[in-house]
Amino acid sequence: MNPDNSSLPEPGPDCADYAICARSLVKRYKNAADPALNNLSLDVRQGEFFGLLGPNGAGKTTAISILTGLFPPDSGTARIMGMIFRESEHEIKQILGLVPQNIGLYDKLTARENLTFFGKLCGISGKKLTERIEQGLEFARLTDHARQPVATFSTGMKRRLNLAVGLINDPQVLVLDEPCVGIDAQSRNLIHEQLTAINQRGTTILYTTHYMEEAQELCTRIGIIDNGRLVEEGPPAALLQQSGMYNLEELFLHLTGKELRDS
Amino acid sequence: MLKIITATAKELLLLLRDRTGLLVLFLMPAILVVIITLVQENVMELTGQKKTQVLLLDLDQGDLGRSLQTQLKTGNLELVVWDEKQKDMAAIQAAVAGGDYQVGIVIPKDASSRFKDAASRLFQQGKGTENPPDSMTTPLHLFIDPGIMAGLRSGVTAQLQMALTVMSQEAKITILSKTLQEAMTSLHVPPEAAPLDSSRLPALFGQPLLTLTENPNSTQTTITSYKPVQQNVPAWALFGMFFTAIPIAGSILQERNSGIWVRLMALPVSPLVLFAGKAVAYMGVCLCQFLLITLIGAFLFPLLGLPAFTIAMNLPAVLLTVLFSSLAACGYGIFLGLICNSYEQASTVGATSVVAAAAIGGVMVPVYAMPHIMQRLSIISPLNWGLTAFQDLLLRGYSLSAILNDLGRLLLFFAVCALFSWKLAKRQQ
């Protein structure tokens, strides 16, 4: 176990071997008593399926926001494929895909129109865009519903399309913020299968979830975050073996406590 | 540029899919412009900018009544003459008190003979040293609705007073001319030796020596008088344009309150590009609004008995004003979408601020009719800048150079809104 993440080795001069490389990230929100991120360091290797777990308010969304360039940290550095946002924001955003927790789709547009719009904003056009749209629809199993407005979709269909839109630019690094919330087993199973396939093709995935079994099934490595710090990280099987726990949920509660996190 | 076009196309698609919202955007200013213009046509009558009907009951049926009618023919009063055999003074009093007519005038029986007699006696008394007694005046009875505006009251009484003064002068000159002629005859002065032809005195006295020239430095060949249609069409079109700020804010809030905004901010695209897409799409809406209201003014108004709206003069400058006004409206909508946290908040703040800006900007009541403090405040309203530009073009007939200041203010307003919006978007990330 390695709870003191600040002792992580410096991964080369430009974090070149790492898809995501965060060092000593600190973020404090206005009027908040404690920092949302408290010296968080995190490495995700290229091609890795990394699960970021943590109770409510642990700092997962703040970490994701910094790692996707939505806002800068108060201090510390975050590198994506060796680049930092301050210098290469546009380049990073070209190779980054984000699937937000809240569904980021226009209800009044059809599935195809949503894919087209976000694809064009990524700078994709012509034949390439048409191919990506078809791939996205096929990926989300929505080819037959391509002309339907998103408003008519079930939650599962929306979640699948939400994911397909995040993949429209064929990202090297895909960040997913709880992509399977509130959907049925069939849709969740499809998403899991598709994410595994994407990861096997070489896409690095950073995945946050509250479902421990999901993390155990999908992730090659997990990190447990609490109070803005990484409290544990490693492959799920190794962590369970080291801790002597039966499952990730038990380990999670052991590390983060059973106290309710309502704030 | 391609990304702006993409964002614009998306906004237009969303607008087209929201038919109810779109209908409200076009219907609201269209209904307002028709109702307000119809109402203001009546206000124009009440404020004396249109001919005011004046009841006349001539119980005398002599020269005085005929002369009064001739005098008032050229003024801004429209005489409605009642038959003296069927109506009396009580009836005219009741008609005015009941609000059917705002002004009534009664010429009493024998007023003409009393008037002529008084004029003759005036010159006979001219030989003495004492001033003529007041009893020499012939009273005409005037009834005025106490509810009419002070401006109309003074306008009507001034016109009547003017007519009576002219009639008195004419009567005096006629008597003077006759007296002079009699004097010269009695002195055996041959007509060719007289210093002037006394029979020509009325004509000479009628010759004006002072005249008022309206707007002497104006380059216009004709001065257009105030018309509510020319004022209301652009005014309410502007109001409608600025109301698009609410759906713009709504579209931003919908994105912010879902995962769309987070997704957009993670894409390789600047918030300014997204704002530009919204601005271009809604500027198109504003242009269509203006076109619709212009068509209503030009074709529907005449069917409702109103004068037709004309835009023939300086069309490019008018379109430029529409463009800059809609730019300012879009800028405000984007700012509203970023400063508010919910659609309810944005619609309340948006509606209140647009109505307030319209009120102080002169859309509802002309700026000159406001108290001094409000007149000074009106210059902070973007609707005032747009309206002033429209009035300069459509009412005063000025050219583009005269409205450049107002267009500059509208552009600056947009730039300030866009700058604050960009800062807010960055901060909210």
Side-chain angles (χ1 to χ4, degrees):
Chain A
M1 287 206 233
N2 182 19
D4 183 8
N5 57 75
S6 60
S7 64
L8 277 172
E10 189 61 41
D14 292 320
C15 296
D17 301 332
Y18 288 79
I20 297 170
C21 174
R23 283 290 170 274
S24 308
L25 296 180
V26 175
K27 182 72 189 178
R28 186 186 290 274
Y29 293 114
K30 247 185 202 170
N31 305 324
D34 300 312
L37 291 186
N38 187 8
N39 221 25
L40 176 78
S41 292
L42 179 74
D43 294 328
V44 179
R45 294 182 189 92
Q46 286 184 33
E48 203 166 40
F49 199 133
F50 189 90
L52 190 62
L53 312 179
N56 289 337
K60 297 188 299 291
T61 303
T62 304
I64 281 184
S65 300
I66 290 172
L67 295 174
T68 52
L70 294 179
F71 53 72
D74 295 341
S75 64
T77 55
R79 288 177 186 270
I80 307 295
M81 302 301 281
M83 299 177 282
I84 58 174
F85 277 99
R86 204 175 48 245
E87 294 164 0
S88 317
E89 183 175 350
H90 191 77
E91 288 79 1
I92 294 174
K93 286 182 172 179
Q94 294 276 15
I95 57 160
L96 195 72
L98 171 67
V99 179
Q101 184 179 351
N102 293 327
I103 290 170
L105 302 168
Y106 291 99
D107 266 4
K108 290 193 177 79
L109 300 187
T110 65
R112 187 183 295 279
E113 286 163 350
N114 268 289
L115 285 162
T116 308
F117 171 67
F118 288 108
K120 282 185 176 176
L121 286 189
C122 288
I124 311 163
S125 59
K127 201 177 161 192
K128 197 173 167 187
L129 178 64
T130 312
E131 279 174 15
R132 292 268 173 86
I133 290 167
E134 293 311 321
Q135 283 169 7
L137 290 168
E138 179 52 36
F139 172 90
R141 301 283 194 273
L142 290 171
T143 307
D144 293 342
H145 304 278
R147 290 170 183 274
Q148 271 179 243
V150 171
T152 63
F153 285 5
S154 68
T155 310
M157 291 161 89
K158 285 181 186 174
R159 284 278 169 206
R160 274 147 42 205
L161 183 62
N162 199 34
L163 178 56
V165 170
L167 289 165
I168 192 75
N169 60 337
D170 194 16
Q172 292 179 35
V173 179
L174 178 64
V175 179
L176 301 109
D177 194 1
E178 305 202 32
C180 294
V181 172
I183 57 172
D184 59 19
Q186 284 77 13
S187 284
R188 189 160 59 241
N189 179 58
L190 176 71
I191 290 175
H192 288 178
E193 282 179 9
Q194 301 281 36
L195 287 176
T196 305
I198 292 164
N199 179 241
Q200 282 169 355
R201 287 202 298 269
T203 305
T204 306
I205 295 177
L206 175 63
Y207 190 96
T208 76
T209 181
H210 278 115
Y211 302 121
M212 298 301 147
E213 68 278 20
E214 195 174 68
Q216 199 164 351
E217 177 198 334
L218 294 171
C219 301
T220 51
R221 208 154 60 92
I222 61 162
I224 296 174
I225 184 174
D226 197 17
N227 298 318
R229 295 172 69 91
L230 200 65
V231 292
E232 189 60 277
E233 66 157 337
L239 290 178
L240 289 176
Q241 196 180 12
Q242 284 169 17
S243 64
M245 304 281 176
Y246 292 107
N247 56 44
L248 267 185
E249 183 141 347
E250 203 181 346
L251 174 65
F252 182 82
L253 289 171
H254 172 70
L255 291 169
T256 60
K258 292 184 177 175
E259 199 180 325
L260 292 173
R261 306 294 181 91
D262 292 335
S263 59
Chain B
M1 191 62 195
L2 274 175
K3 288 183 180 178
I4 293 179
I5 295 170
T6 301
T8 305
K10 180 264 295 176
E11 288 299 332
L12 288 173
L13 211 53
L14 288 173
L15 267 167
L16 289 173
R17 302 266 160 92
D18 181 14
R19 289 189 185 155
T20 315
L22 207 59
L23 199 68
V24 171
L25 269 181
F26 286 98
L27 219 56
M28 186 267 296
I31 290 172
L32 279 175
V33 76
V34 173
I35 292 175
I36 303 288
T37 309
L38 282 168
V39 168
Q40 282 207 352
E41 271 293 302
N42 194 40
V43 171
M44 296 285 285
E45 285 178 18
L46 292 178
T47 52
Q49 290 170 83
K50 285 193 75 179
K51 283 200 170 191
T52 308
Q53 285 190 329
V54 173
L55 264 184
L56 175 67
L57 182 64
D58 187 1
L59 299 172
D60 172 59
Q61 291 297 308
D63 292 342
L64 200 58
R66 283 188 288 277
S67 180
L68 185 64
Q69 288 189 46
T70 310
Q71 287 298 326
L72 294 180
K73 220 174 259 177
T74 53
N76 208 25
L77 301 176
E78 185 186 333
L79 282 176
V80 177
V81 183
W82 269 6
D83 187 349
E84 83 287 352
K85 289 179 188 115
Q86 292 174 4
K87 304 278 184 181
D88 58 7
M89 194 152 84
I92 207 166
Q93 195 170 2
V96 173
D100 297 335
Y101 290 88
Q102 274 66 52
V103 185
I105 186 162
V106 178
I107 302 175
K109 211 167 168 20
D110 301 328
S112 293
S113 58
R114 280 186 67 188
F115 174 61
K116 277 179 195 162
D117 182 49
S120 306
R121 283 193 291 127
L122 183 70
F123 283 95
Q124 285 166 11
Q125 289 205 352
K127 290 175 183 169
T129 52
E130 286 178 13
N131 287 330
D134 288 341
S135 60
M136 290 186 75
T137 59
T138 307
L140 305 184
H141 306 300
L142 180 67
F143 298 97
I144 296 186
D145 179 1
I148 71 166
M149 293 179 179
L152 176 61
R153 185 192 181 95
S154 55
V156 169
T157 48
Q159 282 189 65
L160 289 172
Q161 201 63 58
M162 175 73 81
L164 297 186
T165 305
V166 171
M167 284 158 67
S168 300
Q169 294 298 339
E170 277 180 2
K172 288 174 194 169
I173 291 160
T174 307
I175 299 291
L176 179 64
S177 148
K178 201 176 153 191
T179 310
L180 274 174
Q181 208 155 13
E182 283 171 3
M184 283 191 284
T185 309
S186 65
L187 291 169
H188 306 290
V189 178
E192 61 276 8
L196 50 80
D197 181 357
S198 57
S199 64
R200 287 193 62 228
L201 266 181
L204 293 175
F205 272 95
Q207 183 65 38
L209 296 177
L210 293 169
T211 54
L212 283 175
T213 310
E214 199 174 309
N215 298 322
N217 295 326
S218 173
T219 51
Q220 281 179 269
T221 48
T222 54
I223 303 295
T224 319
S225 62
Y226 178 84
K227 290 189 186 102
V229 167
Q230 294 298 100
Q231 148 90 10
N232 280 330
V233 168
W236 291 98
L238 261 180
F239 186 70
M241 279 182 218
F242 272 83
F243 243 84
T244 57
I246 296 170
I248 297 175
S251 80
I252 291 176
L253 282 159
Q254 190 215 345
E255 288 170 345
R256 276 179 56 202
N257 296 333
S258 64
I260 298 171
W261 190 252
V262 170
R263 167 163 273 151
L264 289 170
M265 291 303 103
L267 295 178
V269 60
S270 159
L272 286 176
V273 169
L274 302 169
F275 297 159
K278 284 185 194 298
V280 173
Y282 279 90
M283 278 167 73
V285 171
C286 291
L287 275 171
C288 292
Q289 272 182 335
F290 187 80
L291 183 68
L292 172 74
I293 294 174
T294 302
L295 291 174
I296 287 174
F299 298 107
L300 180 66
F301 279 6
L303 300 177
L304 299 173
L306 296 168
F309 175 67
T310 52
I311 198 173
M313 48 184 144
N314 225 338
L315 186 62
V318 171
L319 286 178
L320 214 57
T321 309
V322 176
L323 214 64
F324 277 69
S325 302
S326 53
L327 198 61
C330 292
Y332 182 59
I334 292 166
F335 175 69
L336 208 59
L338 285 155
I339 204 154
C340 294
N341 290 319
S342 66
Y343 182 73
E344 289 74 21
Q345 213 178 66
S347 56
T348 309
V349 173
T352 310
S353 56
V354 170
V355 169
I360 65 169
V363 169
M364 294 159 187
V365 176
V367 173
Y368 65 78
M370 294 179 191
H372 186 63
I373 179 86
M374 297 308 287
Q375 287 186 25
R376 294 188 70 171
L377 263 180
S378 72
I379 58 160
I380 63 164
S381 166
L383 276 92
N384 177 259
W385 308 332
L387 189 60
T388 307
F390 277 126
Q391 285 176 339
D392 282 349
L393 295 171
L394 298 173
L395 289 173
R396 300 181 186 110
Y398 292 166
S399 63
L400 177 64
S401 59
I403 61 162
L404 286 178
N405 273 349
D406 290 313
L407 296 188
R409 284 189 188 118
L410 288 166
L411 188 65
L412 188 67
F413 180 77
F414 167 75
V416 169
C417 284
L419 181 72
F420 275 109
S421 302
W422 180 68
K423 289 265 181 201
L424 279 169
K426 285 278 172 195
R427 214 176 75 178
Q428 283 167 8
Q429 278 177 13

